[in-house]
Amino acid sequence: KFTAELWKVSFDRDNTWLAVLPQTFMNLSGDCVQPLMNWYKLPIQKLLVIHDEMDLPPGRIKLQHGGNPAGHNGLKSIQQRMGSQDFSRLRIGVGRPPCKDNDISWVLGRFSPEDKMIMEKTLPFAAEVLLCYVAKGEVKGQQFIGGIAGAAQGTGQVLIENCGNEATLTAVYDS
């Protein structure tokens, strides 16, 4: 029926989410998301898209609401099909390729050993942010990013930047 793998995830009786892994090409993500949102009668404000972000270096996580797709064709597709950018995004930095014309190979390829180490440490933070978002909402998710960084200040493990309505966590690991 839908071009996606679907899971219903219950966190408690009053908090059930659909986890969706589109099975379309990334550039056609909206062809998966829009029919699902309509079928389940979900407003766009209930949508959280988790995606790779070349505009962020590896190890940086941003949770934000709305915003420009910044060249991300999957987000463009969702925004076009939904007719709005009024949804949340958990952006996980993957950095830019050294060769500017190699974007597709970059996002589909393997991480360098250094970036792999950073991502192995960063993804658990992203999962914690997701769980906080699911349990308490976007603002609390952003505050959670700030709380992790604030608790670790001075340890050399994480840095925090506050960018207006965005909270940014940058994981920094000594080699």
Side-chain angles (χ1 to χ4, degrees), residues 1-5 20-36 73-75 77-78 81 108:
K1 183 183 240 183
F2 300 111
T3 53
E5 292 183 23
V20 179
L21 179 60
Q23 297 298 295
T24 59
F25 288 107
M26 184 272 303
N27 293 355
L28 301 174
S29 296
D31 293 350
C32 167
V33 172
Q34 188 267 337
L36 277 166
N73 291 326
L75 290 173
S77 173
I78 293 169
R81 287 294 305 264
L108 296 178

Side-chain angles (χ1 to χ4, degrees), residues 99-147:
C99 178
K100 191 173 186 169
D101 296 331
N102 204 12
D103 290 354
I104 293 172
S105 295
W106 182 256
V107 295
L108 296 178
R110 298 189 184 276
F111 289 112
S112 69
E114 298 82 20
D115 288 350
K116 182 179 178 193
M117 182 187 76
I118 291 171
M119 295 307 289
E120 286 173 349
K121 306 273 185 181
T122 301
L123 291 177
F125 286 121
E128 291 294 325
V129 171
L130 174 62
L131 291 173
C132 184
Y133 175 94
V134 165
K136 299 179 182 175
E138 183 174 0
V139 171
K140 292 292 185 183
Q142 290 175 334
Q143 291 171 348
F144 181 78
I145 292 173

Side-chain angles (χ1 to χ4, degrees), residues 87-101:
F87 58 89
S88 297
R89 301 164 43 190
L90 181 56
R91 303 165 60 200
I92 301 174
V94 295
R96 289 227 167 253
C99 178
K100 191 173 186 169
D101 296 331

